[in-house]
Amino acid sequence: MLLLGCIKEVSDYELAISLPNGLSGFVPVTQISDAYSKLLTKQVAQELPEELHSLPDMYSPGTLVRCIVTSIEKSADGRRSVKLSIDPKKVNKGLSSSALAAGMLLSGSVLSMEDHGYLIDIGVTGTHAFLPHQKAKNYIKAVKKGPDLKIGQNLNCLIVEVKNEGRVVCVSIDRSEVAASIATERQNWTLSNLLPGLVVKARVQKVTPVGMKLTFLTYFTGIVDFMHMDPEKSMSYSPDQVVRACVLSVHPASRAVRLTLLPPFLHAGGAPRQLPGQRMGAVLEEATVKAFYKQFGAIFELDDGTLAFARLKHLSKTRKSFKPGAFKEGCKHKCRIIDYSLMDEMCVVSLKHQIIEARFLQYQDIHTGDVVQGKVLSLKPIGMQVKVADGIRGLVPSLHLSDVILKQPEKKYNIGDEVKCRVLECNPGGKKLILTLKKSLVQSKLPVLSNYEDAKPGLITHGFVVCAREFGCIVKFYNDVKGLVPKNELGSEPLSCPDKVFYEGQVLKVMVLKCEPQQERLLLSFRLSSKPGPEDKWKCTPKEKQEVKYQIGEMVDVKILKKKDNGLEVSILEDEDNVVAWIPKLHLSDFVATSKLLWHCLQEGDVLPRVMYLSDKGEHIILSRKSAVISAVQEEQVVRSFSEIQPGMLLTGYVRNVMPFGVFVEFPFGATGLAPKVSMSDKFVTDTKDHFVVGQTVIAKVMSIDEEKQRVLLNLKVSECSSGDSAAESFALLNQYFKELEDIRDLLRRGEPSICELVPGKRVHLVVQDVREDGSALFSGSSVTGSTVTATRYHLGDKNIAPGEKRKAVVLHVDALTSEVYVSLREELLKQRPKRVSMCSVFGVCVS
């Protein structure tokens, strides 16, 4: 099928083509012409006697071209892709030397440049076409693509003279001559060689609500659909009226010819009107329905008087929710411009709510530094392909899949996963979108450095290392901005081998020292200030580490200096050097929930006795209050090196990471191991996160060791990890749990004394505050001040309550961390005599 198209976008590898009726296709770089394909082949073989020009050097958006459909491919998501060719040999294949006549207009491609002009490939076997310089100079001047035509450049050629029975033809590309051309009966056009783009005189044969039928060139008939009637004359067409028309498409097999009456196409070589850039993506509050076609869609008049088209699928969320009555002439709707069809000179709009509210519609909507949500499409050695929106895809390079380099990214990411990324680089022209999944960059609140002009001295921002050498580090930012951290600015202490300390992809804070935007030179430093800031006080330098004389397992008392979201900054008491250390939140207790509750209750200035020195890796001291871990170290039930690990050992540790394929466990003295999914639980494991959480204390059994790879495989099944007296172990854990809760109860009395008096089974008098839609109710009362008191619909029993009423209730559960109290008004619970309850029941544990 032959079509007239308009170049919409030009990239190095393809031309995006706007086709009639809102369709689009693309021309691969290999479908330009035979001569251009030969140059490409030579470039691949690195034999280039002549200069190869890129597609952007030869083609501009808005240029009309004749195309032939070479294939229609269907993607995995059901979308169809129309592949086209503008090669004259394919487009003009219906023409022969004997059929050529003066005045004919056809496609040609530059074959070579000669002394007096150009040889043109018009795709007709046995015919040589020549374009004199005189007939080309006006065109060359107008297109502004250089002083000469280039091999592979597609041209609209008008045959001026035919010699030797069609074996030699002289052509012109002069714009005025081309624009004045018109196809006539003398040129002997047939259905087998009729070309799109020909301007003809036609006679109206029949007018219908969806278009009209024309006759032209004596015996041809063609169709003009409603989208291609001149909007200013659409109501005045009548049978036998003579009009000027342009051939849009020819389908030789079905003998169907479609034409257009839109003014820009009625002079050969014309160009359709473009949509102003700011209109794309615009949301219009009121678009007026001009016409509705039940098989196609609706025509709207926009706020500026222009027309727009919405396909049926874009008129409602689903087919079932579509209401034809809402699209009567004059009805108004909210819509969004999602595209512009150059060949129809009409905006394409959508009424779908999700499209109107969408953050991104095209690459131009995305800016460097934007945080975007995406869906994983594929994982390849080069990186991960992510779908940001319909028609917008980005690449996460393998270096940016995580804060650390992933050797097996397929174990962390699955096709279809939702991911949160940040835009490193966006080039709308080339539809290039580079993203990062590094949490340090995605969550960074520091300024985004995307150009050298913004790199002012003193600016502190995040960057990532791309190179570490003896001279220093090269650090990269957004939009390929990069700078040098010289060796003397890598840290407060001199570094002899930077490549041993820094690694490719590492995210670090850097400070700008100096920038020369014109030369794109940027000098940086990892030393953010001359004095250590409050955030860095607890971090020890290597020198400080040597001075610390504590051993793993040593018990110390500490004083809380500062509470942070992930732990406590403390100072070790009775130490003349006032050593600062760190207790991670999850190391406050063997029990994860208790750790969070204890952190909530502790205050700056509190003293914590008997905390164990755990490690000093990462250049700061780590302490732990995990009783089970402390006991294991003190009783020497630990391994101090990999060589001490033996199959069958039972070791106490804590969960370091939970992955879909298993759980990583860390032990005192730094040893780690993996418990595969099959060895995690006596129950069947579907999702590993349902069974373990980071920070959880565990007892693991060593299954096997790999000395060469320094790997340990573990078993976490309760049935396998018991030392024999499981009942005694369970009671010991329960006793430790109650002891810690008693300590927390004492701490709670300082700030929230009222909640300590609330225990399961206690009767309280409450006032109804509100009854929710789901049937649950909220209460208040003097005994529950500062707490959120709730009774579910079930626990209201059959009582009808209203705000302001006083009711008697029994406490079911108290969550001290969130200050939430759950009560019941059911009579059978209120009548029961409470059993003896432990003093720790405030935390939801009842022992009778």
Side-chain angles (χ1 to χ4, degrees):
M1 183 177 184
L2 291 166
L3 296 151
L4 184 64
C6 184
I7 297 175
K8 192 173 182 179
E9 294 173 3
V10 184
S11 68
D12 288 335
Y13 302 107
E14 67 182 28
L15 304 175
I17 307 293
S18 171
L19 300 173
N21 300 111
L23 300 175
S24 59
F26 70 96
V27 178
V29 70
T30 54
Q31 292 293 332
I32 302 298
S33 72
D34 271 1
Y36 194 72
S37 294
K38 287 176 182 176
L39 286 181
L40 286 173
T41 304
K42 289 179 180 178
Q43 185 189 45
V44 172
Q46 297 183 337
E47 307 170 356
L48 267 186
E50 301 170 77
E51 186 180 359
L52 175 69
H53 293 277
S54 67
L55 295 185
D57 288 338
M58 300 189 292
Y59 295 94
S60 301
T63 305
L64 293 175
V65 289
R66 294 177 184 84
C67 318
I68 186 168
V69 178
T70 57
S71 66
I72 299 176
E73 300 170 358
K74 196 171 183 179
S75 62
D77 59 359
R79 294 174 179 268
R80 293 188 177 184
S81 175
V82 182
K83 193 174 178 181
L84 307 166
S85 174
I86 58 171
D87 186 346
K89 280 187 169 57
K90 295 179 179 178
V91 174
N92 298 335
K93 65 180 180 181
L95 290 168
S96 62
S97 298
S98 59
L100 299 176
M104 274 187 166
L105 190 67
L106 67 168
S107 293
S109 178
V110 178
L111 192 60
S112 65
M113 186 169 71
E114 307 299 329
D115 291 341
H116 301 288
Y118 302 87
L119 286 179
I120 305 297
D121 176 14
I122 60 171
V124 179
T125 305
T127 297
H128 299 280
F130 182 72
L131 171 63
H133 280 304
Q134 189 66 27
K135 295 290 187 181
K137 64 180 183 179
N138 288 340
Y139 176 86
I140 292 171
K141 187 177 180 181
V143 296
K144 299 177 182 177
K145 287 289 183 182
D148 301 302
L149 298 176
K150 301 167 182 69
I151 294 175
Q153 196 164 344
N154 192 272
L155 304 169
N156 219 0
C157 300
L158 177 68
I159 297 179
V160 176
E161 186 180 4
V162 180
K163 300 178 181 178
N164 299 335
E165 297 179 340
R167 288 192 289 274
V168 177
V169 297
C170 182
V171 299
S172 171
I173 59 171
D174 186 276
R175 288 196 157 187
S176 58
E177 293 182 25
V178 170
S181 67
I182 190 164
T184 64
E185 287 83 352
R186 288 184 180 181
Q187 294 163 10
N188 296 321
W189 292 103
T190 65
L191 193 60
S192 61
N193 63 25
L194 189 68
L195 293 173
L198 295 179
V199 176
V200 297
K201 285 185 178 177
R203 187 180 297 275
V204 178
Q205 192 178 61
K206 184 180 180 182
V207 180
T208 70
V210 293
M212 56 187 180
K213 191 174 183 181
L214 305 178
T215 59
F216 62 99
L217 296 179
T218 306
Y219 54 86
F220 287 97
T221 59
I223 300 295
V224 179
D225 64 44
F226 63 92
M227 295 177 74
H228 284 272
M229 295 163 66
D230 187 343
E232 295 183 4
K233 302 176 182 177
S234 58
M235 304 301 293
S236 61
Y237 292 115
S238 59
D240 288 331
Q241 181 181 347
V242 176
V243 295
R244 195 179 178 100
C246 175
V247 178
L248 270 185
S249 64
V250 181
H251 199 303
S254 64
R255 306 177 71 84
V257 180
R258 291 189 174 270
L259 303 101
T260 180
L261 304 182
L262 297 177
F265 300 98
L266 302 185
H267 296 280
R273 290 186 291 265
Q274 301 270 350
L275 179 73
Q278 66 272 19
R279 293 285 283 174
M280 184 62 73
V283 176
L284 308 173
E285 293 298 328
E286 289 189 344
T288 307
V289 178
K290 295 293 289 182
F292 173 67
Y293 304 94
K294 62 181 181 180
Q295 292 181 324
F296 308 106
I299 298 286
F300 293 86
E301 184 177 354
L302 305 184
D303 52 7
D304 60 355
T306 58
L307 297 180
F309 178 67
R311 296 185 181 89
L312 273 177
K313 67 177 183 179
H314 279 283
L315 292 178
S316 61
K317 186 177 181 180
T318 62
R319 286 188 177 183
K320 289 183 178 180
S321 63
F322 176 64
K323 297 177 181 177
F327 296 94
K328 294 178 181 178
E329 187 175 352
C331 291
K332 296 183 184 297
H333 293 273
K334 185 177 181 179
C335 65
R336 187 173 190 179
I337 298 175
I338 59 172
D339 199 1
Y340 180 72
S341 175
L342 288 163
M343 288 304 297
D344 304 312
E345 287 200 314
M346 193 176 285
C347 293
V348 180
V349 298
S350 176
L351 278 64
K352 286 187 173 183
H353 176 75
Q354 64 266 38
I355 291 179
I356 292 174
E357 299 298 325
R359 186 180 173 195
F360 306 118
L361 279 183
Q362 53 183 348
Y363 285 89
Q364 285 84 349
D365 299 332
I366 300 177
H367 302 97
T368 302
D370 281 350
V371 176
V372 301
Q373 289 287 136
K375 183 179 286 186
V376 178
L377 291 179
S378 63
L379 282 164
K380 298 179 180 178
I382 193 175
M384 176 196 292
Q385 191 178 35
V386 175
K387 177 183 176 182
V388 177
D390 285 340
I392 302 178
R393 296 183 178 188
L395 174 71
V396 181
S398 54
L399 184 69
H400 283 273
L401 291 173
S402 175
D403 277 321
V404 295
I405 304 299
L406 297 181
K407 292 183 179 179
Q408 294 178 305
E410 65 277 2
K411 291 190 175 181
K412 181 172 183 179
Y413 300 106
N414 297 307
I415 306 301
D417 282 355
E418 292 285 340
V419 289
K420 191 176 183 180
C421 318
R422 196 160 201 173
V423 179
L424 284 177
E425 186 180 343
C426 184
N427 177 9
K431 292 188 175 180
K432 179 183 176 184
L433 181 63
I434 305 298
L435 306 166
T436 181
L437 281 168
K438 290 182 179 290
K439 282 189 178 180
S440 307
L441 292 177
V442 174
Q443 298 175 356
S444 174
K445 302 298 182 184
L446 296 176
V448 171
L449 185 55
S450 58
N451 59 73
Y452 289 94
E453 286 73 19
D454 290 342
K456 306 298 181 187
L459 175 74
I460 295 176
T461 186
H462 276 119
F464 55 94
V465 177
V466 293
C467 173
R469 296 288 186 272
E470 65 279 356
F471 55 80
C473 289
I474 303 294
V475 176
K476 208 179 221 185
F477 305 94
Y478 298 83
N479 274 349
D480 207 31
V481 172
K482 49 184 173 284
L484 170 67
V485 182
K487 194 172 182 178
N488 62 320
E489 293 293 339
L490 292 175
S492 55
E493 298 290 329
L495 295 173
S496 56
C497 299
D499 57 319
K500 302 285 195 223
V501 178
F502 304 101
Y503 59 88
E504 187 182 11
Q506 185 177 3
V507 177
L508 294 163
K509 281 185 184 178
V510 293
M511 183 170 71
V512 176
L513 297 178
K514 183 181 178 183
C515 183
E516 299 174 10
Q518 278 73 33
Q519 288 76 33
E520 295 190 347
R521 290 179 183 170
L522 188 57
L523 191 64
L524 308 164
S525 174
F526 287 154
R527 299 193 297 172
L528 305 185
S529 62
S530 57
K531 296 180 181 179
E535 294 293 319
D536 303 313
K537 279 184 180 178
W538 59 276
K539 293 183 180 179
C540 304
T541 63
K543 184 178 179 182
E544 289 171 334
K545 277 179 66 178
Q546 295 171 7
E547 294 173 356
V548 176
K549 299 176 182 178
Y550 297 101
Q551 300 294 322
I552 293 176
E554 190 169 344
M555 304 304 294
V556 294
D557 296 342
V558 298
K559 182 179 180 180
I560 298 172
L561 298 177
K562 191 172 183 180
K563 281 180 71 174
K564 297 184 180 179
D565 290 342
N566 57 342
L568 303 174
E569 182 182 322
V570 300
S571 65
I572 298 177
L573 298 177
E574 299 179 6
D575 190 295
E576 59 185 16
D577 296 322
N578 292 320
V579 173
V580 177
W582 179 253
I583 307 179
K585 182 191 284 187
L586 296 175
H587 272 274
L588 288 171
S589 170
D590 282 318
F591 312 98
V592 174
T594 308
S595 295
K596 295 176 181 178
L597 191 55
L598 184 58
W599 180 91
H600 173 75
C601 298
L602 289 169
Q603 298 174 6
E604 293 176 8
D606 285 348
V607 173
L608 291 175
R610 293 190 55 76
V611 182
M612 188 183 77
Y613 183 95
L614 184 65
S615 74
D616 60 355
K617 66 179 182 179
E619 300 189 354
H620 53 263
I621 297 172
I622 300 291
L623 305 176
S624 178
R625 286 188 80 252
K626 286 181 174 290
S627 298
V629 176
I630 293 172
S631 297
V633 174
Q634 291 179 339
E635 295 171 13
E636 291 294 325
Q637 294 178 354
V638 291
V639 289
R640 297 176 182 271
S641 65
F642 186 86
S643 60
E644 294 182 14
I645 302 174
Q646 297 294 328
M649 277 186 167
L650 289 176
L651 299 174
T652 302
Y654 41 90
V655 175
R656 192 174 75 176
N657 203 357
V658 180
M659 303 297 288
F661 53 85
V663 170
F664 286 97
V665 178
E666 185 170 353
F667 304 102
F669 297 94
T672 59
L674 170 66
K677 195 173 180 179
V678 294
S679 303
M680 281 175 51
S681 173
D682 290 305
K683 298 178 181 179
F684 180 75
V685 177
T686 303
D687 188 344
T688 54
K689 292 180 180 178
D690 292 340
H691 294 261
F692 291 94
V693 294
V694 173
Q696 183 176 344
T697 304
V698 294
I699 296 175
K701 184 176 183 179
V702 179
M703 294 171 60
S704 64
I705 56 175
D706 185 332
E707 293 185 10
E708 185 179 344
K709 296 181 180 179
Q710 297 277 294
R711 290 179 181 172
V712 182
L713 283 182
L714 305 170
N715 192 326
L716 294 178
K717 292 180 179 179
V718 174
S719 59
E720 296 285 337
C721 297
S722 174
S723 60
D725 192 350
S726 57
E729 290 175 356
S730 299
F731 277 113
L733 283 173
L734 194 59
N735 183 56
Q736 179 62 33
Y737 178 68
F738 283 138
K739 185 177 181 301
E740 290 185 10
L741 291 182
E742 190 173 343
D743 293 338
I744 292 172
R745 181 185 178 86
D746 293 337
L747 291 171
L748 270 174
R749 282 199 176 95
R750 297 184 307 188
E752 303 171 42
S754 62
I755 204 167
C756 295
E757 305 306 320
L758 294 172
V759 293
K762 182 174 181 177
R763 271 65 171 166
V764 288
H765 293 278
L766 304 173
V767 177
V768 181
Q769 289 294 310
D770 187 25
V771 180
R772 295 167 171 167
E773 290 183 4
D774 62 1
S776 63
L778 289 177
F779 298 86
S780 64
S782 57
S783 59
V784 291
T785 306
S787 301
T788 303
V789 184
T790 308
T792 63
R793 184 176 180 178
Y794 171 80
H795 280 287
L796 291 176
D798 54 359
K799 297 177 182 177
N800 294 320
I801 61 173
E805 290 182 358
K806 293 182 179 180
R807 293 285 179 172
K808 193 175 181 180
V810 61
V811 176
L812 295 176
H813 174 69
V814 180
D815 189 333
L817 189 61
T818 59
S819 296
E820 292 181 347
V821 180
Y822 298 89
V823 300
S824 176
L825 275 65
R826 296 183 70 87
E827 287 296 333
E828 60 268 32
L829 293 178
L830 285 168
K831 288 177 181 178
Q832 271 189 4
R833 295 296 301 167
K835 296 180 182 179
R836 187 170 60 87
V837 178
S838 102
M839 63 185 298
C840 300
S841 298
V842 63
F843 304 98
V845 176
C846 180
V847 180
S848 58

